[in-house]
Amino acid sequence: LVVALVVAVVDGNGNGLKDPKPAVGPPRAVQTFDVDLTMPPEERWVAMSKMYSQEIQAIVQTVMNEIPKDVRSLLIAAFADVDRYLPKEYADEIRGVSEGSGIQLGEAVVMNLFYELTAACTSIVAQNENGTIFHGRNLDYSIAGLQNITVHVRFTNGSSAPAYLGTTYVGYVGILTGMRPNGISLSLDERWDNYTIVENIVKFMEGNTPVCFALRNVLASTMDFESSVEYLSNVKLVSVSYIIIGGVKFNEGAIITRDRDYAADVWRLDYPSRWFIVETNYDHWNPAPANDDRRAPAYKHMNMYNSSSINAESMWWVMNQFSNLNSETTYTAVMSAANHNFNTMTQNSD
């Protein structure tokens, strides 16, 4: 019944930015929080969610307003049975978000399916001449106010050194942008397709993994670059996507083009002829559309450098150029797992 009602009102996934506009205002620093993984999962996000409860409630209301009331109530009721759809650790963390923010449990689950609804992004992974990998990403969303809940999270095991790190929206316990020091960096770009949102919801209910949790699974593990590529190429996902991964060794950079059940393509760094690769929501073997060609500006700005001059600062400059930085960019991040570098700032915060 839930699926039938949603089908009647939701007809598709995102399909591009369509003539992106320039960003407004300077980038702003984000607040950093620790999530202690030795705590019970249901307690880890409560304090942070309380701190941002009004902002979370506003974002959830914006999302819910896009769904008719009769469908909304059924989705909230269905997703309240969160243990049926997610591993217990993530289900309990979402319970903590619900408790801290004051939103219903089913609403908190919907919030954690943001990516499966709509997004746009730019990700670039590059290698300099000494083999260091740099990973830049802009995350674009059309949902207003996400900058207000953007935070940098250090996931710790009770010690001062983080096990892994991520930039996320408070209440969103999956990872869209993250890094394990001395291991890997990851970002997620949406792959637009002909699947409908309802099909994604069905796959979620059937047990496929939301891609944000697949990324967190890898960050929380000890998988090396190749093992991470293998897992991320084969785990069954709720939605199709592009997974961008950087490592710590020579040529450890790849864009995994994902169908739901398998990787359609794995495109890798091949230094020196291919010292960087770019993803902007379109299959790299096809041309980008004229009204959303963020790929050409990315190549233009990257080619102003070379493998001897690319570093965290130059990658930051590239990511802050139009149209990869645009009016829907919520944050920019640059990572290097080898250097333990992870810098994030919000965009369009004014």
Side-chain angles (χ1 to χ4, degrees):
L1 179 59
V2 173
V3 170
L5 286 170
V6 176
V7 167
V9 297
V10 181
D11 63 3
N13 217 337
N15 60 356
L17 281 176
K18 305 304 182 191
D19 300 313
K21 306 297 188 295
V24 177
R28 299 187 184 279
V30 299
Q31 192 165 353
T32 298
F33 292 88
D34 282 3
V35 168
D36 186 350
L37 298 173
T38 65
M39 294 176 62
E42 62 271 21
E43 298 178 11
R44 296 171 184 169
W45 298 86
V46 173
M48 198 189 317
S49 298
K50 283 183 178 177
M51 185 179 301
Y52 287 87
S53 59
Q54 291 184 346
E55 293 86 349
I56 293 173
Q57 290 170 20
I59 295 295
V60 168
Q61 190 61 50
T62 297
V63 174
M64 289 298 176
N65 284 344
E66 299 299 315
I67 305 172
K69 288 184 179 180
D70 50 355
V71 178
R72 188 186 316 165
S73 61
L74 286 169
L75 280 177
I76 291 171
F79 287 162
D81 189 13
V82 62
D83 292 299
R84 181 177 177 181
Y85 309 118
L86 289 173
K88 181 170 175 54
E89 180 180 13
Y90 296 147
D92 284 348
E93 287 190 352
I94 293 173
R95 285 190 177 89
V97 170
S98 173
E99 176 187 340
S101 64
I103 63 176
Q104 298 180 65
L105 179 56
E107 291 177 323
V109 175
V110 171
M111 186 175 185
N112 277 270
L113 295 177
F114 268 169
Y115 173 79
E116 321 300 337
L117 301 179
T118 182
C121 316
T122 295
S123 290
I124 303 173
V125 62
Q127 177 182 305
N128 70 9
E129 60 184 1
N130 67 15
T132 304
I133 305 296
F134 296 95
H135 188 155
R137 86 97 90 252
N138 286 340
L139 183 53
D140 305 340
Y141 266 121
S142 59
I143 301 171
L146 287 174
Q147 294 88 340
N148 299 329
I149 59 171
T150 301
V151 295
H152 187 66
V153 177
R154 302 169 72 255
F155 294 86
T156 71
N157 286 311
S159 64
S160 58
Y164 57 99
L165 309 101
T167 297
T168 192
Y169 305 116
V170 181
Y172 192 92
V173 305
I175 295 292
L176 301 177
T177 309
M179 183 185 83
R180 185 183 343 117
N182 299 320
I184 57 170
S185 57
L186 291 168
S187 63
L188 191 67
D189 289 10
E190 184 173 10
R191 186 183 183 203
W192 291 309
D193 54 59
N194 294 321
Y195 291 123
T196 63
I197 295 171
V198 67
E199 290 176 283
N200 292 347
I201 292 173
V202 170
K203 288 299 179 182
F204 174 64
M205 290 180 162
E206 289 178 349
N208 284 29
T209 302
V211 65
C212 63
F213 293 117
L215 266 62
R216 187 169 166 189
N217 289 343
V218 171
L219 291 170
S221 75
T222 58
M223 284 187 271
D224 62 11
F225 177 83
E226 291 299 337
S227 297
S228 299
V229 170
E230 177 71 15
Y231 169 79
L232 293 169
S233 295
N234 291 288
V235 59
K236 293 185 182 300
L237 299 175
V238 167
S239 59
V240 301
S241 59
Y242 302 102
I243 301 171
I244 299 84
I245 180 170
V248 294
K249 297 178 182 177
F250 200 81
N251 273 340
E252 286 192 343
I255 295 170
I256 306 169
T257 300
R258 276 302 310 260
D259 290 333
R260 282 203 179 104
D261 293 338
Y262 54 85
D265 180 76
V266 180
W267 191 36
R268 294 173 178 263
L269 291 175
D270 187 14
Y271 187 88
S273 60
R274 189 162 62 236
W275 63 273
F276 71 89
I277 47 180
V278 174
E279 181 51 59
T280 60
N281 306 110
Y282 302 100
D283 294 345
H284 70 85
W285 56 89
N286 291 326
N291 64 353
D292 184 27
D293 189 0
R294 288 167 286 126
R295 183 188 297 167
Y299 272 86
K300 173 185 174 181
H301 294 126
M302 284 297 292
N303 281 320
M304 294 174 68
Y305 298 93
N306 54 43
S307 61
S308 64
S309 58
I310 195 69
N311 54 34
E313 291 73 25
S314 52
M315 180 67 84
W316 184 264
W317 181 86
V318 169
M319 302 308 298
N320 277 270
Q321 304 308 303
F322 181 74
S323 58
N324 302 111
L325 172 63
N326 59 71
S327 61
E328 293 192 359
T329 305
T330 62
Y331 67 77
T332 298
V334 170
M335 304 171 281
S336 176
N339 291 345
H340 299 196
N341 174 274
F342 194 150
N343 182 33
T344 302
M345 300 187 81
T346 59
Q347 306 281 6
N348 296 292
S349 300
D350 291 348

